[in-house]
Amino acid sequence: MYDRRALTPDPLLLAAIRSVARSGDPEATLDDLLEISLRASGADRAAAFLWDADRGGLALAASRGYAPDDLPALEEAAAASDSTIQLAAQERIQTTGQPSGDGSRIVSAWPIVIGRDGIEEPVGALALEGDTATAAEVGERIAALADLAAVVVDRARLATHAAERIDWAERLSNSDMLTGLANAHTLSRVMELEIARSARQGSELTIALFDVDDLTGFNDEQGRAAGDDVLREVAAVIGESVRFVDTVGRWGGDEFMLVAPGATGTTVVRRIVEAVAARFMVGERQCTVSAGLARFPVDGSTSEVLIEAAASALRAARAAGPGTLAEATHDAGNGTSAGIASTAAGN
């Protein structure tokens, strides 16, 4: 027959399980587990230490009963290779000892170990400090609480990894893989938002397209890998030349786009053209970009019209020669693109 007393639920362990199951805050849950550990053991101080990869050692994750001024010394003592806490964490065994310089106190520590796929990974230790040693039957409870702490740590890790993967996937979906700038999809979305905002505020907006001059010839001479290096370097120069409110990205092939709110977009475009020409050299050849720009609302009120106006201006700039900036012009009567006014960068 079963011993009914053996089946009686332990109220403290039940409280610990509920805390782990219902809380989404790892720090708060560890704090609850330490409080329950104190109640279960009769100790007056408790601390949880976890492995910190950046520091290369144990770091204090939570504590109960210690004065704030005592925590640095506690963490330093735990870092010692022969400390009770360090041995528990590394050897994965329950240990008992005395704090340095205090023979009247006893520290007991239990390993915090994550187990998955048959592999056990020690990640820290749960430590209790008091005037007496922890009894064996109480030690089993604390070991169970240390296992629950491992669940908390493991769940927090999984949540962090999931968030990192989501962030990574989002960056991939919004960024151009070669240059790290925004991709065409992101540029299109930003352009629509900025057009809508400019329309509401009655402000200007500049859309500019940049083309790396004679990149095809450079690819034929030096190879595609060298051409990719050119695109990356030009992207870096463009990114350094814009304002915080601007959005830049790779529009496609060897073309880049700038979405610049406000009335000073032409100044930003000119600064980019001049910065590329002044700074970037490929072998003995100077790298330049040609640029064509259009403005909202004078050159168009939709993204399609503005892009076409900027593309027409870019074609005119390329025809005028490397490193040229061209601005779309419009017919005052109907507001459509009617001509191109080209100016050499720097003039």
Short mmCIF file of all heavy atoms in Angstrom, two decimals, residues 248-301:
data_model
loop_
_atom_site.label_atom_id
_atom_site.label_comp_id
_atom_site.label_asym_id
_atom_site.label_seq_id
_atom_site.Cartn_x
_atom_site.Cartn_y
_atom_site.Cartn_z
N VAL A 248 18.14 55.48 -46.95
CA VAL A 248 18.88 55.12 -48.15
C VAL A 248 18.87 53.61 -48.29
O VAL A 248 18.81 52.87 -47.30
CB VAL A 248 20.34 55.64 -48.11
CG1 VAL A 248 20.38 57.14 -48.22
CG2 VAL A 248 21.05 55.18 -46.85
N GLY A 249 18.94 53.13 -49.53
CA GLY A 249 18.95 51.70 -49.75
C GLY A 249 19.38 51.37 -51.17
O GLY A 249 19.57 52.25 -52.01
N ARG A 250 19.51 50.09 -51.39
CA ARG A 250 19.87 49.61 -52.74
C ARG A 250 18.58 49.34 -53.49
O ARG A 250 17.77 48.51 -53.09
CB ARG A 250 20.71 48.34 -52.62
CG ARG A 250 21.29 47.88 -53.95
CD ARG A 250 22.09 46.62 -53.77
NE ARG A 250 22.65 46.13 -55.03
CZ ARG A 250 23.07 44.89 -55.21
NH1 ARG A 250 23.02 44.03 -54.19
NH2 ARG A 250 23.56 44.52 -56.37
N TRP A 251 18.42 50.06 -54.60
CA TRP A 251 17.19 49.96 -55.38
C TRP A 251 17.24 48.76 -56.32
O TRP A 251 16.22 48.19 -56.66
CB TRP A 251 16.97 51.26 -56.14
CG TRP A 251 15.65 51.37 -56.85
CD1 TRP A 251 15.44 51.54 -58.18
CD2 TRP A 251 14.35 51.33 -56.25
NE1 TRP A 251 14.10 51.60 -58.46
CE2 TRP A 251 13.40 51.48 -57.28
CE3 TRP A 251 13.89 51.17 -54.95
CZ2 TRP A 251 12.03 51.48 -57.05
CZ3 TRP A 251 12.52 51.17 -54.71
CH2 TRP A 251 11.62 51.32 -55.75
N GLY A 252 18.44 48.39 -56.73
CA GLY A 252 18.59 47.24 -57.61
C GLY A 252 19.86 47.35 -58.44
O GLY A 252 20.23 48.44 -58.87
N GLY A 253 20.56 46.22 -58.66
CA GLY A 253 21.78 46.24 -59.46
C GLY A 253 22.80 47.19 -58.87
O GLY A 253 23.25 47.03 -57.74
N ASP A 254 23.17 48.21 -59.66
CA ASP A 254 24.14 49.20 -59.18
C ASP A 254 23.46 50.52 -58.86
O ASP A 254 24.09 51.57 -58.86
CB ASP A 254 25.25 49.41 -60.21
CG ASP A 254 24.72 49.89 -61.55
OD1 ASP A 254 23.48 49.93 -61.73
OD2 ASP A 254 25.53 50.21 -62.43
N GLU A 255 22.16 50.48 -58.58
CA GLU A 255 21.40 51.69 -58.26
C GLU A 255 21.06 51.76 -56.77
O GLU A 255 20.74 50.76 -56.14
CB GLU A 255 20.10 51.75 -59.07
CG GLU A 255 20.30 52.11 -60.53
CD GLU A 255 18.99 52.37 -61.24
OE1 GLU A 255 17.92 52.11 -60.64
OE2 GLU A 255 19.04 52.85 -62.39
N PHE A 256 21.16 52.98 -56.24
CA PHE A 256 20.78 53.26 -54.85
C PHE A 256 19.68 54.32 -54.85
O PHE A 256 19.55 55.08 -55.81
CB PHE A 256 21.97 53.76 -54.04
CG PHE A 256 23.08 52.75 -53.93
CD1 PHE A 256 24.08 52.68 -54.89
CD2 PHE A 256 23.12 51.87 -52.87
CE1 PHE A 256 25.10 51.75 -54.79
CE2 PHE A 256 24.14 50.94 -52.75
CZ PHE A 256 25.14 50.88 -53.71
N MET A 257 18.90 54.36 -53.79
CA MET A 257 17.84 55.34 -53.68
C MET A 257 17.95 56.09 -52.35
O MET A 257 18.34 55.52 -51.33
CB MET A 257 16.45 54.70 -53.78
CG MET A 257 15.30 55.69 -53.58
SD MET A 257 13.66 54.93 -53.61
CE MET A 257 13.45 54.71 -55.38
N LEU A 258 17.59 57.36 -52.39
CA LEU A 258 17.50 58.20 -51.21
C LEU A 258 16.08 58.73 -51.09
O LEU A 258 15.52 59.23 -52.08
CB LEU A 258 18.48 59.37 -51.31
CG LEU A 258 18.27 60.54 -50.34
CD1 LEU A 258 18.65 60.13 -48.92
CD2 LEU A 258 19.06 61.77 -50.79
N VAL A 259 15.50 58.63 -49.91
CA VAL A 259 14.21 59.25 -49.59
C VAL A 259 14.51 60.30 -48.52
O VAL A 259 14.83 59.96 -47.38
CB VAL A 259 13.19 58.22 -49.08
CG1 VAL A 259 11.86 58.90 -48.78
CG2 VAL A 259 13.00 57.11 -50.11
N ALA A 260 14.42 61.58 -48.90
CA ALA A 260 14.86 62.66 -48.02
C ALA A 260 13.72 63.64 -47.75
O ALA A 260 13.35 64.44 -48.63
CB ALA A 260 16.04 63.40 -48.65
N PRO A 261 13.14 63.63 -46.55
CA PRO A 261 12.07 64.58 -46.21
C PRO A 261 12.62 66.00 -46.10
O PRO A 261 13.79 66.22 -45.78
CB PRO A 261 11.57 64.09 -44.86
CG PRO A 261 12.12 62.71 -44.70
CD PRO A 261 13.39 62.68 -45.46
N GLY A 262 11.76 66.98 -46.36
CA GLY A 262 12.15 68.37 -46.19
C GLY A 262 12.60 69.03 -47.48
O GLY A 262 12.59 68.43 -48.56
N ALA A 263 13.02 70.29 -47.35
CA ALA A 263 13.34 71.10 -48.52
C ALA A 263 14.81 71.07 -48.90
O ALA A 263 15.22 71.74 -49.84
CB ALA A 263 12.91 72.55 -48.26
N THR A 264 15.63 70.31 -48.16
CA THR A 264 17.08 70.33 -48.42
C THR A 264 17.58 69.04 -49.06
O THR A 264 18.75 68.71 -48.95
CB THR A 264 17.84 70.59 -47.11
OG1 THR A 264 17.53 69.55 -46.17
CG2 THR A 264 17.47 71.94 -46.52
N GLY A 265 16.68 68.32 -49.71
CA GLY A 265 17.07 67.06 -50.33
C GLY A 265 18.16 67.21 -51.37
O GLY A 265 19.06 66.38 -51.48
N THR A 266 18.10 68.30 -52.15
CA THR A 266 19.12 68.51 -53.19
C THR A 266 20.51 68.63 -52.58
O THR A 266 21.50 68.11 -53.11
CB THR A 266 18.80 69.78 -53.99
OG1 THR A 266 17.50 69.65 -54.58
CG2 THR A 266 19.83 70.00 -55.10
N THR A 267 20.60 69.27 -51.44
CA THR A 267 21.89 69.42 -50.75
C THR A 267 22.43 68.06 -50.33
O THR A 267 23.63 67.78 -50.47
CB THR A 267 21.73 70.32 -49.52
OG1 THR A 267 21.26 71.60 -49.92
CG2 THR A 267 23.06 70.48 -48.79
N VAL A 268 21.55 67.19 -49.84
CA VAL A 268 21.97 65.86 -49.43
C VAL A 268 22.46 65.06 -50.63
O VAL A 268 23.49 64.39 -50.58
CB VAL A 268 20.83 65.12 -48.72
CG1 VAL A 268 21.27 63.71 -48.33
CG2 VAL A 268 20.37 65.89 -47.49
N VAL A 269 21.72 65.14 -51.75
CA VAL A 269 22.11 64.41 -52.96
C VAL A 269 23.47 64.89 -53.45
O VAL A 269 24.35 64.08 -53.79
CB VAL A 269 21.04 64.59 -54.06
CG1 VAL A 269 21.49 63.93 -55.35
CG2 VAL A 269 19.70 64.01 -53.60
N ARG A 270 23.65 66.19 -53.49
CA ARG A 270 24.93 66.73 -53.95
C ARG A 270 26.08 66.29 -53.03
O ARG A 270 27.17 65.97 -53.50
CB ARG A 270 24.86 68.26 -54.02
CG ARG A 270 26.08 68.90 -54.69
CD ARG A 270 25.91 70.40 -54.75
NE ARG A 270 24.74 70.76 -55.55
CZ ARG A 270 24.73 70.80 -56.88
NH1 ARG A 270 25.82 70.51 -57.56
NH2 ARG A 270 23.64 71.13 -57.52
N ARG A 271 25.80 66.26 -51.73
CA ARG A 271 26.84 65.84 -50.78
C ARG A 271 27.24 64.39 -51.02
O ARG A 271 28.43 64.04 -50.94
CB ARG A 271 26.33 66.01 -49.34
CG ARG A 271 27.37 65.68 -48.29
CD ARG A 271 26.99 66.25 -46.94
NE ARG A 271 25.77 65.65 -46.41
CZ ARG A 271 24.71 66.35 -46.02
NH1 ARG A 271 24.70 67.67 -46.11
NH2 ARG A 271 23.65 65.74 -45.53
N ILE A 272 26.29 63.54 -51.35
CA ILE A 272 26.60 62.14 -51.63
C ILE A 272 27.46 62.02 -52.88
O ILE A 272 28.48 61.31 -52.90
CB ILE A 272 25.29 61.33 -51.79
CG1 ILE A 272 24.57 61.21 -50.45
CG2 ILE A 272 25.58 59.95 -52.38
CD1 ILE A 272 23.19 60.60 -50.54
N VAL A 273 27.06 62.70 -53.95
CA VAL A 273 27.81 62.64 -55.21
C VAL A 273 29.24 63.10 -55.00
O VAL A 273 30.21 62.47 -55.47
CB VAL A 273 27.10 63.48 -56.30
CG1 VAL A 273 27.97 63.55 -57.56
CG2 VAL A 273 25.74 62.89 -56.63
N GLU A 274 29.40 64.18 -54.29
CA GLU A 274 30.74 64.73 -54.08
C GLU A 274 31.56 63.86 -53.13
O GLU A 274 32.78 63.70 -53.31
CB GLU A 274 30.63 66.16 -53.53
CG GLU A 274 30.04 67.14 -54.54
CD GLU A 274 29.86 68.53 -53.96
OE1 GLU A 274 29.97 68.67 -52.71
OE2 GLU A 274 29.61 69.47 -54.73
N ALA A 275 30.91 63.25 -52.12
CA ALA A 275 31.62 62.41 -51.16
C ALA A 275 32.17 61.16 -51.84
O ALA A 275 33.31 60.74 -51.56
CB ALA A 275 30.71 62.03 -50.00
N VAL A 276 31.40 60.55 -52.73
CA VAL A 276 31.88 59.37 -53.43
C VAL A 276 33.06 59.73 -54.32
O VAL A 276 34.09 59.04 -54.34
CB VAL A 276 30.75 58.73 -54.26
CG1 VAL A 276 31.29 57.61 -55.14
CG2 VAL A 276 29.64 58.20 -53.36
N ALA A 277 32.93 60.82 -55.06
CA ALA A 277 34.00 61.23 -55.98
C ALA A 277 35.28 61.61 -55.23
O ALA A 277 36.39 61.37 -55.70
CB ALA A 277 33.53 62.41 -56.84
N ALA A 278 35.14 62.18 -54.04
CA ALA A 278 36.31 62.66 -53.31
C ALA A 278 37.02 61.56 -52.54
O ALA A 278 38.23 61.61 -52.36
CB ALA A 278 35.88 63.77 -52.34
N ARG A 279 36.29 60.58 -52.11
CA ARG A 279 36.88 59.63 -51.17
C ARG A 279 37.25 58.29 -51.78
O ARG A 279 38.27 57.71 -51.42
CB ARG A 279 35.90 59.40 -50.02
CG ARG A 279 36.28 58.26 -49.11
CD ARG A 279 35.29 58.11 -48.00
NE ARG A 279 35.27 56.77 -47.45
CZ ARG A 279 34.49 56.37 -46.48
NH1 ARG A 279 33.66 57.23 -45.95
NH2 ARG A 279 34.52 55.14 -46.04
N PHE A 280 36.47 57.82 -52.69
CA PHE A 280 36.62 56.42 -53.06
C PHE A 280 37.44 56.26 -54.33
O PHE A 280 37.15 56.84 -55.35
CB PHE A 280 35.24 55.80 -53.25
CG PHE A 280 35.29 54.32 -53.49
CD1 PHE A 280 35.71 53.46 -52.50
CD2 PHE A 280 34.95 53.79 -54.72
CE1 PHE A 280 35.77 52.10 -52.72
CE2 PHE A 280 35.01 52.44 -54.95
CZ PHE A 280 35.42 51.58 -53.94
N MET A 281 38.51 55.45 -54.24
CA MET A 281 39.36 55.16 -55.40
C MET A 281 39.40 53.65 -55.60
O MET A 281 39.50 52.89 -54.64
CB MET A 281 40.77 55.68 -55.17
CG MET A 281 40.85 57.18 -54.94
SD MET A 281 40.41 58.15 -56.39
CE MET A 281 41.80 57.78 -57.46
N VAL A 282 39.32 53.21 -56.83
CA VAL A 282 39.43 51.79 -57.17
C VAL A 282 40.65 51.64 -58.06
O VAL A 282 40.62 51.99 -59.24
CB VAL A 282 38.16 51.29 -57.91
CG1 VAL A 282 38.29 49.81 -58.21
CG2 VAL A 282 36.92 51.58 -57.09
N GLY A 283 41.73 51.12 -57.48
CA GLY A 283 42.97 51.07 -58.24
C GLY A 283 43.39 52.48 -58.61
O GLY A 283 43.53 53.35 -57.77
N GLU A 284 43.57 52.71 -59.89
CA GLU A 284 43.93 54.05 -60.38
C GLU A 284 42.73 54.77 -60.95
O GLU A 284 42.87 55.86 -61.51
CB GLU A 284 45.02 53.93 -61.44
CG GLU A 284 46.33 53.34 -60.90
CD GLU A 284 47.39 53.25 -61.97
OE1 GLU A 284 47.07 53.56 -63.15
OE2 GLU A 284 48.52 52.88 -61.66
N ARG A 285 41.57 54.17 -60.81
CA ARG A 285 40.36 54.79 -61.37
C ARG A 285 39.54 55.41 -60.25
O ARG A 285 39.40 54.86 -59.17
CB ARG A 285 39.51 53.73 -62.07
CG ARG A 285 40.18 53.12 -63.28
CD ARG A 285 39.32 52.01 -63.87
NE ARG A 285 37.96 52.47 -64.12
CZ ARG A 285 37.02 51.67 -64.64
NH1 ARG A 285 37.30 50.42 -64.93
NH2 ARG A 285 35.81 52.14 -64.85
N GLN A 286 39.00 56.57 -60.52
CA GLN A 286 38.13 57.23 -59.56
C GLN A 286 36.72 56.68 -59.72
O GLN A 286 36.22 56.52 -60.83
CB GLN A 286 38.12 58.74 -59.78
CG GLN A 286 37.31 59.50 -58.74
CD GLN A 286 37.36 60.99 -58.96
OE1 GLN A 286 37.54 61.45 -60.09
NE2 GLN A 286 37.23 61.76 -57.90
N CYS A 287 36.08 56.38 -58.60
CA CYS A 287 34.71 55.89 -58.63
C CYS A 287 33.77 57.07 -58.45
O CYS A 287 33.97 57.90 -57.55
CB CYS A 287 34.49 54.86 -57.53
SG CYS A 287 32.83 54.18 -57.49
N THR A 288 32.78 57.17 -59.29
CA THR A 288 31.79 58.24 -59.19
C THR A 288 30.39 57.66 -59.31
O THR A 288 30.20 56.53 -59.76
CB THR A 288 31.97 59.30 -60.29
OG1 THR A 288 31.82 58.65 -61.58
CG2 THR A 288 33.34 59.95 -60.20
N VAL A 289 29.42 58.45 -58.87
CA VAL A 289 28.03 58.09 -59.07
C VAL A 289 27.32 59.24 -59.76
O VAL A 289 27.64 60.41 -59.54
CB VAL A 289 27.31 57.77 -57.74
CG1 VAL A 289 27.87 56.52 -57.10
CG2 VAL A 289 27.36 58.95 -56.78
N SER A 290 26.39 58.90 -60.63
CA SER A 290 25.48 59.89 -61.21
C SER A 290 24.18 59.84 -60.43
O SER A 290 23.82 58.81 -59.87
CB SER A 290 25.23 59.60 -62.68
OG SER A 290 26.43 59.70 -63.43
N ALA A 291 23.47 60.96 -60.39
CA ALA A 291 22.26 61.03 -59.58
C ALA A 291 21.16 61.78 -60.31
O ALA A 291 21.41 62.76 -61.03
CB ALA A 291 22.55 61.73 -58.24
N GLY A 292 19.94 61.30 -60.14
CA GLY A 292 18.76 62.00 -60.64
C GLY A 292 17.75 62.12 -59.52
O GLY A 292 17.53 61.17 -58.78
N LEU A 293 17.17 63.31 -59.39
CA LEU A 293 16.23 63.49 -58.28
C LEU A 293 14.93 64.13 -58.75
O LEU A 293 14.87 64.83 -59.75
CB LEU A 293 16.87 64.33 -57.17
CG LEU A 293 17.21 65.80 -57.44
CD1 LEU A 293 16.03 66.71 -57.13
CD2 LEU A 293 18.41 66.23 -56.62
N ALA A 294 13.90 63.84 -57.97
CA ALA A 294 12.58 64.43 -58.20
C ALA A 294 12.01 64.82 -56.84
O ALA A 294 12.37 64.25 -55.81
CB ALA A 294 11.66 63.43 -58.89
N ARG A 295 11.10 65.82 -56.88
CA ARG A 295 10.55 66.34 -55.63
C ARG A 295 9.04 66.18 -55.58
O ARG A 295 8.35 66.33 -56.59
CB ARG A 295 10.88 67.83 -55.47
CG ARG A 295 12.36 68.16 -55.42
CD ARG A 295 12.54 69.66 -55.21
NE ARG A 295 13.93 70.06 -55.30
CZ ARG A 295 14.56 70.34 -56.42
NH1 ARG A 295 13.91 70.26 -57.57
NH2 ARG A 295 15.83 70.70 -56.42
N PHE A 296 8.57 65.87 -54.40
CA PHE A 296 7.14 65.90 -54.11
C PHE A 296 6.83 67.27 -53.52
O PHE A 296 7.56 67.76 -52.65
CB PHE A 296 6.79 64.81 -53.10
CG PHE A 296 5.37 64.87 -52.60
CD1 PHE A 296 4.37 64.19 -53.25
CD2 PHE A 296 5.05 65.64 -51.47
CE1 PHE A 296 3.06 64.25 -52.77
CE2 PHE A 296 3.74 65.71 -51.00
CZ PHE A 296 2.75 65.02 -51.66
N PRO A 297 5.78 67.95 -53.97
CA PRO A 297 4.77 67.49 -54.94
C PRO A 297 4.98 68.02 -56.35
O PRO A 297 4.20 67.68 -57.24
CB PRO A 297 3.48 68.06 -54.34
CG PRO A 297 3.93 69.37 -53.74
CD PRO A 297 5.33 69.15 -53.24
N VAL A 298 6.02 68.83 -56.59
CA VAL A 298 6.11 69.53 -57.88
C VAL A 298 6.36 68.58 -59.04
O VAL A 298 5.92 68.83 -60.18
CB VAL A 298 7.20 70.61 -57.84
CG1 VAL A 298 6.83 71.73 -56.88
CG2 VAL A 298 8.56 70.01 -57.47
N ASP A 299 7.07 67.46 -58.79
CA ASP A 299 7.37 66.53 -59.88
C ASP A 299 6.48 65.30 -59.88
O ASP A 299 6.63 64.41 -60.73
CB ASP A 299 8.84 66.08 -59.79
CG ASP A 299 9.80 67.23 -59.95
OD1 ASP A 299 9.55 68.09 -60.82
OD2 ASP A 299 10.80 67.29 -59.20
N GLY A 300 5.58 65.22 -58.95
CA GLY A 300 4.67 64.07 -58.89
C GLY A 300 4.10 63.93 -57.50
O GLY A 300 4.71 64.35 -56.52
N SER A 301 2.94 63.29 -57.42
CA SER A 301 2.27 63.13 -56.13
C SER A 301 2.15 61.66 -55.72
O SER A 301 1.61 61.36 -54.67
CB SER A 301 0.86 63.75 -56.18
OG SER A 301 0.09 63.15 -57.21
#
